[in-house]
C-alpha cells in the first residue's frame, strides 16, 4: 500500500510570512500544498485569490492541491491550470454538470477532484466515481480553518472506500477539516489516502515536527 499523503493547508499559515511558511512545507515531509480558494458566496468567507496563489507557486516545490470553494468553478479551470495546480477540486454542490467539469479539468492536464460537504451523500458519486481522481471529503463545513472534526466522517470514508473498490476505480480519498494526531490513524484505517491539516500544523510549536508526527502515525 502506498503511504498516506499529508497536505498542510496554507489557510492557517501566517500570511505576513507566506514565503517562509511555504518553504517550511517544502522542507518538511509533507506531500502536497493544500490551497483553499473561497469566494464569499459558496462559503461565508473569502480567503485569497490568484495573485496570492501566483506567489505561493513561485516558492512551492511540491504539488499544489487546489480546493475551490466557489460557485460556478468552470469559469476558472483554465486559470488554475496556468497557476500551476496539479489537483483541482470543485465542489459537488457547486456544479450543475459535474461530469463536464471533471473532463474540463483533465483536459487542462490536472487531476480532477470533487469535494463534498458533510451533508452530501456519498451515493451521489456512484455515477462519476470512475472519472474522479480525488474525492475531498469535508469533515467540517467548508469556509473556515480550526473547526472541530465531524465524527460521521468515519462512516462516509468507509462507504466511499467500498464504492471505489466495487467500481474498481482508482480514486484517492482526501479528508479535509479538523484533522489532528488524534483522528489521523482512524481515518487511514477507514480508507483515507490524503490528510489535509491546517491549524494542527501551523498553530503548533514546531510545524515540521507536527507534519513528521502525522506521517509517522499514518505510516
Ligand atoms: C476549510 C478548508 C480546510 C481548512 C482546514 O474550509 O477547506 O482546508 O483549511 O483547516 P483545519 O485543518 O484547521 O480544519
Ligand atoms: Zn480545503
Amino acid at each position: 500500500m502506498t503511504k498516506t499523503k499529508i497536505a498542510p493547508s496554507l489557510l492557517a499559515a501566517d500570511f505576513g510570512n507566506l514565503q517562509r511558511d511555504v518553504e517550511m512545507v517544502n522542507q518538511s515531509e509533507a506531500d502536497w500544498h493544500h490551497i483553499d480558494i473561497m469566494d464569499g458566496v459558496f462559503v461565508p468567507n473569502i480567503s485569497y485569490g490568484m495573485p496570492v496563489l501566483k506567489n505561493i507557486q513561485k516558492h512551492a516545490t511540491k504539488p499544489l492541491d487546489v480546493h475551490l470553494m466557489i460557485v460556478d468553478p468552470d469559469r476558472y479551470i483554465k486559470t488554475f491550470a496556468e497557476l500551476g495546480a496539479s489537483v483541482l477540486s470543485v465542489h459537488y454542490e457547486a456544479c450543475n454538470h459535474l461530469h463536464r467539469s471533471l473532463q474540463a479539468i483533465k483536459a487542462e492536464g490536472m487531476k480532477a477532484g470533487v469535494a463534498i460537504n458533510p451533508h452530501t451523500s456519498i451515493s451521489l458519486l456512484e455515477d462519476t466515481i470512475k472519472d474522479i481522481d480525488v474525492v475531498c471529503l469535508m469533515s467540517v463545513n467548508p469556509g473556515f480553518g480550526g473547526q472541530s472534526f465531524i465524527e460521521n466522517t468515519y462512516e462516509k470514508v468507509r462507504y466511499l472506500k467500498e464504492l471505489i473498490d466495487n467500481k474498481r476505480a482508482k480514486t484517492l480519498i482526501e479528508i479535509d477539516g479538523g484533522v489532528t494526531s488524534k483522528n489521523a490513524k482512524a481515518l487511514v484505517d477507514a480508507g483515507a489516502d490524503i490528510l489535509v491539516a491546517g491549524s494542527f500544523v501551523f498553530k503548533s510549536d514546531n510545524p515540521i515536527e507536527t507534519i513528521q508526527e502525522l506521517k509517522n502515525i499514518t505510516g
Side-chain angles (χ1 to χ4, degrees):
M1 235 193 76
T2 48
K3 276 190 141 195
T4 309
K5 291 188 192 329
I6 304 296
S9 166
L10 283 171
L11 189 65
D14 175 356
F15 289 166
N17 290 287
L18 203 46
Q19 178 176 349
R20 181 200 68 192
D21 283 2
V22 170
E23 284 170 351
M24 180 282 292
V25 177
N26 289 344
Q27 281 152 27
S28 76
E29 283 195 42
D31 298 272
W32 292 350
H33 301 270
H34 185 82
I35 310 290
D36 289 302
I37 307 288
M38 306 178 183
D39 67 354
V41 180
F42 181 71
V43 288
N45 194 15
I46 298 175
S47 54
Y48 51 82
M50 288 77 169
V52 174
L53 179 52
K54 203 172 175 164
N55 280 286
I56 291 172
Q57 197 251 348
K58 234 173 24 201
H59 302 291
T61 56
K62 298 181 179 184
L64 301 179
D65 171 35
V66 179
H67 175 194
L68 297 183
M69 284 159 273
I70 65 173
V71 294
D72 198 5
D74 291 6
R75 293 172 296 164
Y76 296 111
I77 290 173
K78 211 178 165 51
T79 307
F80 284 102
E82 285 162 5
L83 285 164
S86 293
V87 182
L88 189 66
S89 295
V90 293
H91 261 267
Y92 177 88
E93 303 83 7
C95 293
N96 287 328
H97 300 279
L98 182 64
H99 185 270
R100 179 181 289 150
S101 304
L102 295 171
Q103 302 311 319
I105 293 170
K106 289 181 187 177
E108 293 295 336
M110 297 176 286
K111 296 232 177 291
V114 176
I116 66 167
N117 280 339
H119 74 273
T120 301
S121 170
I122 298 294
S123 60
L124 294 165
L125 300 177
E126 246 176 58
D127 294 293
T128 42
I129 195 73
K130 286 193 105 156
D131 299 296
I132 305 174
D133 295 308
V134 178
V135 171
C136 178
L137 245 177
M138 294 308 302
S139 37
V140 297
N141 285 296
F144 303 93
Q147 303 181 81
S148 325
F149 180 82
I150 296 172
E151 295 289 324
N152 184 52
T153 308
Y154 295 115
E155 205 175 312
K156 289 181 85 171
V157 182
R158 284 192 289 269
Y159 185 16
L160 176 57
K161 181 76 182 150
E162 212 175 288
L163 174 65
I164 291 167
D165 289 347
N166 286 343
K167 297 271 186 181
R168 293 193 169 75
K170 296 198 170 65
T171 318
L172 297 178
I173 301 175
E174 178 175 50
I175 310 298
D176 189 4
V179 171
T180 68
S181 56
K182 289 203 170 69
N183 53 27
K185 177 79 169 74
L187 286 166
V188 171
D189 289 346
D193 303 290
I194 307 148
L195 301 179
V196 174
S199 315
F200 186 68
V201 166
F202 285 99
K203 309 293 181 216
S204 70
D205 291 341
N206 189 330
I208 296 227
E209 274 178 26
T210 304
I211 293 167
Q212 165 98 61
E213 184 189 350
L214 286 173
K215 272 303 237 197
N216 292 346
I217 292 171
T218 55

